[in-house]
Amino acid sequence: MQADGPDPAARGDEYGQVDSRDQLVRALQQLPMRTRTVVVLRYFHDLSDTEIAADLSISPSTMRSQLARGIEKLRSQFPALSDPSPR
């Protein structure tokens, strides 16, 4: 009989996921406030470039520049983030 949901062993290392999340939060905290805000709004709240720029009263090009700097800083701390995402 097969249980609903994934096999517990197939889910991966849950403690490792908590550790990775903690590392990511710490890395985000090291970013300048505006850069951190842009990254969080884009990737955690899934807002568009235009929405973020309007919310922060900055130009879309400034928003994209802040985002690029933030992502580059995070990638330098997490080399696995440099791999293309399966979006």
Side-chain angles (χ1 to χ4, degrees):
M1 181 173 185
Q2 186 176 15
D4 292 334
D7 177 23
R11 284 187 286 181
D13 180 9
E14 292 179 12
Y15 292 109
Q17 290 173 359
V18 170
D19 188 44
S20 294
R21 183 180 178 95
D22 182 57
Q23 290 173 0
L24 178 59
V25 168
R26 289 174 191 262
L28 282 167
Q29 290 173 340
Q30 293 177 10
L31 296 176
M33 179 63 108
R34 178 160 299 179
T35 303
R36 177 176 55 232
T37 302
V38 167
V39 170
V40 168
L41 290 175
R42 181 71 174 106
Y43 291 102
F44 289 85
H45 294 281
D46 203 26
L47 296 182
S48 70
D49 294 359
T50 307
E51 291 171 316
I52 297 168
D55 286 351
L56 298 178
S57 300
I58 58 177
S59 71
S61 61
T62 299
M63 192 286 313
R64 287 188 294 274
S65 176
Q66 293 284 324
L67 182 62
R69 281 190 217 118
I71 295 302
E72 184 59 34
K73 179 79 172 173
L74 292 172
R75 283 183 176 154
S76 72
Q77 295 180 30
F78 297 95
L81 294 178
S82 297
D83 296 335
S85 65
R87 241 185 199 224

